[in-house]
Amino acid sequence: MYNSLFSVFGRILDIAISRMLKAWEYPDFLFNLTSGREEKRLVKVIEDFTKSVILEKKKQYLKGKKDNDKRKRKAFMDMLLELHFETQALSEEDICEEVNTFVSAVP
């Protein structure tokens, strides 16, 4: 799954570079008629993957399988979920956006 996810990121990057080089794809309405459809489909694949991982982590958290070891570093998503459950400062959509931003920034 991770290899295909990296290929999805690579393809999105290819589409973005291609759009920069093709002046006729600058207007959104033309881009959406060409490569934009594929880009939207690929972004949905990434969002669906992120949501499935968050849902799995959320189930683990609710079952009480969270790490209680104070010395161990927590994963970014675990910290966001704790913040969501303990203070309601973040919605699930906010968590998805943060994780998508973090994942897409990691090479």
Side-chain angles (χ1 to χ4, degrees):
M1 178 66 179
Y2 294 112
N3 287 336
S4 64
L5 197 61
F6 283 120
S7 66
V8 168
F9 278 118
R11 182 63 189 134
I12 289 174
L13 182 60
D14 290 343
I15 291 170
I17 291 171
S18 174
R19 185 178 187 188
M20 286 187 274
L21 297 174
K22 297 176 183 175
W24 60 89
E25 287 190 349
Y26 289 174
D28 287 338
F29 74 94
L30 288 176
F31 177 70
N32 291 334
L33 293 174
T34 57
S35 305
R37 291 179 182 169
E38 182 182 6
E39 182 189 48
K40 285 181 183 178
R41 183 184 59 80
L42 294 172
V43 167
K44 180 151 177 40
V45 168
I46 293 170
E47 289 173 349
D48 291 345
F49 175 76
T50 303
K51 287 178 184 177
S52 69
V53 170
I54 290 172
L55 183 63
E56 184 64 34
K57 285 285 197 177
K58 185 177 177 180
K59 286 179 184 177
Q60 288 177 357
Y61 187 89
L62 292 174
K63 286 182 181 178
K65 293 184 179 179
K66 61 181 181 177
D67 272 338
N68 290 328
D69 188 4
K70 300 292 182 191
R71 294 175 294 168
K72 186 176 179 181
R73 291 185 185 180
K74 294 180 184 177
F76 178 65
M77 191 180 330
D78 293 335
M79 290 188 296
L80 292 175
L81 283 171
E82 279 185 18
L83 189 63
H84 169 70
F85 286 118
E86 292 173 5
T87 65
Q88 282 75 33
L90 292 173
S91 68
E92 287 186 37
E93 185 177 322
D94 293 335
I95 294 172
C96 286
E97 290 174 2
E98 291 295 330
V99 171
N100 283 337
T101 301
F102 189 79
V103 168
S104 63
V106 175

